[in-house]
Amino acid sequence: MQNGTAYCGGDGPAQVDLEGRLTVELASVVSAARRRATRDGDRQVDTAHLLHGLLESDPAVRASFGNGPQVARLLGYLVQRSIGYGLQWHGTVEDSGAVPLVAEGVVPGWSPAAAAAMDGALDRAHARYATCADCLDLLAALVGDPDSRAVEVLRRASVDTALLAARLDGERAGRD
């Protein structure tokens, strides 16, 4: 049986099993994002799928937004993705420019921006000498790409992404 969290990124074309590099919670987010992409008929997991999974799954992620109404507004936008808001994304590849869009650098099943965010989460975990990336690492990586779909959703929900990024950097300093 093949692992549902398989991921191919970084320097080589070989698949790397993420399970040993993600917390249980983040592996669950990745699985939820894959299911959501499939259910929505999307060809790839994108940053909005990852953001949706983070908000639904992790209390620390929700707490990083401060108050409840903002999280509810975000989830509302993300839920509308398949019935209204976000339909302009259907059938398109998310390429925020975070990584060059070339055939050999493409991660099967992931948009280039989502793959870059996952790499960023792993880099962030490595920078704090952690063995596994967690949900806050991925959220920080998503917020770090101003042209991603996740940041588009955040801005539409009136989230100050610069303030959120600073808050996440402060939380990382507290975990070091």
Side-chain angles (χ1 to χ4, degrees), residues 27 33 55 63 68 71 80 82 88 91 107-108 115 175:
L55 287 166
V71 171
Q80 291 178 38
S82 62
Q88 75 271 16
V107 178
R175 293 187 295 160

Side-chain angles (χ1 to χ4, degrees), residues 29-30 32-56 78 81 89 94 109 111 114 138 142 149-150 153:
V29 166
V30 170
R34 284 181 180 278
R35 284 190 305 275
R36 181 166 284 106
T38 300
R39 184 179 61 236
D40 292 348
D42 295 328
R43 295 180 314 175
Q44 297 178 324
V45 172
D46 67 21
T47 59
H49 293 120
L50 292 170
L51 177 62
H52 199 159
L54 287 169
L55 287 166
E56 285 185 331
L78 290 163
R81 175 187 179 124
W89 298 332
E94 176 187 31
S111 74
L138 180 57
L142 290 172
R149 290 177 182 173
V153 171

Side-chain angles (χ1 to χ4, degrees), residues 47 89 94-98 113 142-152 155:
T47 59
W89 298 332
E94 176 187 31
D95 179 26
S96 67
L142 290 172
V143 172
D145 183 354
D147 297 320
S148 70
R149 290 177 182 173
V151 169
E152 182 180 334
R155 286 188 186 131

Side-chain angles (χ1 to χ4, degrees), residues 3-155:
N3 180 349
T5 59
Y7 169 81
C8 175
D11 296 345
Q15 287 216 344
V16 177
D17 182 9
L18 274 186
E19 227 167 79
R21 299 171 65 196
L22 303 179
T23 60
V24 171
E25 296 82 7
L26 186 51
S28 175
V29 166
V30 170
S31 293
R34 284 181 180 278
R35 284 190 305 275
R36 181 166 284 106
T38 300
R39 184 179 61 236
D40 292 348
D42 295 328
R43 295 180 314 175
Q44 297 178 324
V45 172
D46 67 21
T47 59
H49 293 120
L50 292 170
L51 177 62
H52 199 159
L54 287 169
L55 287 166
E56 285 185 331
S57 301
D58 193 70
V61 166
R62 289 189 299 276
S64 68
F65 289 95
N67 61 31
Q70 196 164 49
V71 171
R73 190 175 322 124
L74 278 167
L75 285 169
Y77 278 116
L78 290 163
V79 166
Q80 291 178 38
R81 175 187 179 124
S82 62
I83 60 170
Y85 175 74
L87 280 179
Q88 75 271 16
W89 298 332
H90 192 70
T92 64
V93 174
E94 176 187 31
D95 179 26
S96 67
V99 294
L101 185 59
V102 293
E104 61 202 43
V106 174
V107 178
W110 290 69
S111 74
M118 188 57 69
D119 287 340
L122 294 168
D123 289 346
R124 184 178 162 95
H126 183 259
R128 63 182 169 81
Y129 302 104
T131 57
C132 295
D134 64 20
C135 293
L136 291 175
D137 292 324
L138 180 57
L139 179 61
L142 290 172
V143 172
D145 183 354
D147 297 320
S148 70
R149 290 177 182 173
V151 169
E152 182 180 334
V153 171
L154 291 169
R155 286 188 186 131

